Amino acid sequence: MVLYFTSNVVSPPALIYMGKDKFENEDLIKHGFEQDVWFHVDKLSSAHVYLRLSADQTWDNIPSALLDDLAQLVKANSIEGNKKNNLTIIYTPWANLNKNGSMDVGQVSFKNNKQVKRVYAAERINEVVNRLNKTKVEKFPDLAQEKADHDRKMRQQQRQREQEQKEQDFQQVQALKQKASDRGYGSIFDSEEMKGSSNYRNMDYDGDVDAFEEDFM
């Protein structure tokens, strides 16, 4: 079972989720998304809490109000940490989590310690914890299938971006060819203009415009 929460301190609202126990944490570690950020109490046992970033966010520019919500939720879901003040919460991109067969269930390390940030919870703020708990939804997702569907969607979007760039570069070459033709140069391109073409920078141009164009077809 996965527990989902919604934080309304940002717009659009942020999706937060965590596993019910350490065994589910294993599945969350395995099937996370690239835009997920992992939160945990530093040096104490706690829930593994994840933030799923929105399209305009990066892990190192999370709004402070949202970080405060996450810190409170992580603190509230740590048996020992919930009783302490001045608690340190660490967070890092999901992709920076390191897991190997020698580790205990639910245990992780980091691939790059420089990609770990900290946020602090001076004390428990019941108002925040209660607000988040009111949004809690329990689900039993197929995490592996969700991951596969997500990765497929990301690949499709990447192919679309590449195709759009390819079309844009092709149109640029066509415009340069037309400009050269209008000047009476025929198939000869002005070398300085060709240097402005991104494909000229990335592809070998030997003076044969038609062959150069075929690379786009």
Side-chain angles (χ1 to χ4, degrees):
M1 180 174 65
V2 180
L3 307 177
Y4 294 88
F5 303 82
T6 301
S7 172
N8 293 303
V9 298
V10 291
S11 181
L15 174 64
I16 302 169
Y17 68 95
M18 66 183 186
K20 185 178 181 180
D21 55 39
K22 63 182 181 179
F23 299 101
E24 288 184 339
N25 286 338
E26 287 292 300
D27 288 335
L28 297 182
I29 294 167
K30 184 177 181 180
H31 301 300
F33 290 9
E34 289 292 332
Q35 62 265 42
D36 288 345
V37 183
W38 174 91
F39 289 75
H40 196 275
V41 174
D42 191 22
K43 300 177 182 178
L44 293 176
S45 176
S46 79
H48 292 213
V49 176
Y50 292 82
L51 166 68
R52 183 149 292 166
L53 296 172
S54 61
D56 62 341
Q57 291 178 326
T58 60
W59 82 277
D60 55 355
N61 74 347
I62 300 170
S64 59
L66 181 53
L67 283 175
D68 290 341
D69 271 12
L70 285 152
Q72 287 295 318
L73 189 61
V74 175
K75 174 178 169 58
N77 286 276
S78 171
I79 295 175
E80 187 176 355
N82 191 41
K83 303 172 185 176
K84 294 186 175 184
N85 291 333
N86 301 316
L87 208 61
T88 300
I89 312 298
I90 56 176
Y91 63 102
T92 192
W94 166 82
N96 192 42
L97 297 178
N98 182 51
K99 179 73 180 182
N100 61 55
S102 67
M103 295 178 176
D104 292 337
V105 175
Q107 183 181 9
V108 297
S109 62
F110 308 118
K111 299 174 184 175
N112 183 354
N113 288 328
K114 293 182 179 180
Q115 287 192 340
V116 179
K117 289 182 173 290
R118 289 164 175 79
V119 61
Y120 303 97
E123 60 183 2
R124 177 183 170 116
I125 303 176
N126 287 325
E127 179 184 356
V128 173
V129 175
N130 292 339
R131 168 169 53 80
L132 291 170
N133 280 333
K134 287 179 180 178
T135 71
K136 181 170 66 176
V137 177
E138 300 178 355
K139 295 183 179 180
F140 297 85
D142 184 336
L143 295 172
Q145 187 61 53
E146 284 188 356
K147 172 72 170 175
D149 293 343
H150 171 75
D151 289 350
R152 186 183 308 108
K153 181 179 179 181
M154 292 299 100
R155 289 193 296 270
Q156 290 173 344
Q157 290 179 351
Q158 178 63 27
R159 285 195 294 269
Q160 182 177 354
R161 287 192 294 269
E162 291 173 353
Q163 183 60 39
E164 290 172 352
Q165 183 63 52
K166 187 176 180 181
E167 177 63 24
Q168 181 180 347
D169 291 342
F170 175 72
Q171 294 300 330
Q172 186 177 8
V173 171
Q174 288 292 88
L176 288 172
K177 180 180 179 181
Q178 184 62 49
K179 190 174 183 179
S181 177
D182 292 343
R183 289 179 177 178
Y185 298 151
S187 62
I188 301 175
F189 280 76
D190 183 272
S191 61
E192 292 302 315
E193 290 175 345
M194 279 302 299
K195 289 179 182 177
S197 168
S198 62
N199 268 291
Y200 179 75
R201 292 192 297 269
N202 296 315
M203 299 171 60
D204 293 330
Y205 174 66
D206 60 4
D208 187 340
V209 175
D210 292 330
F212 187 73
E213 286 181 289
E214 287 179 1
D215 288 328
F216 295 99
M217 302 306 289

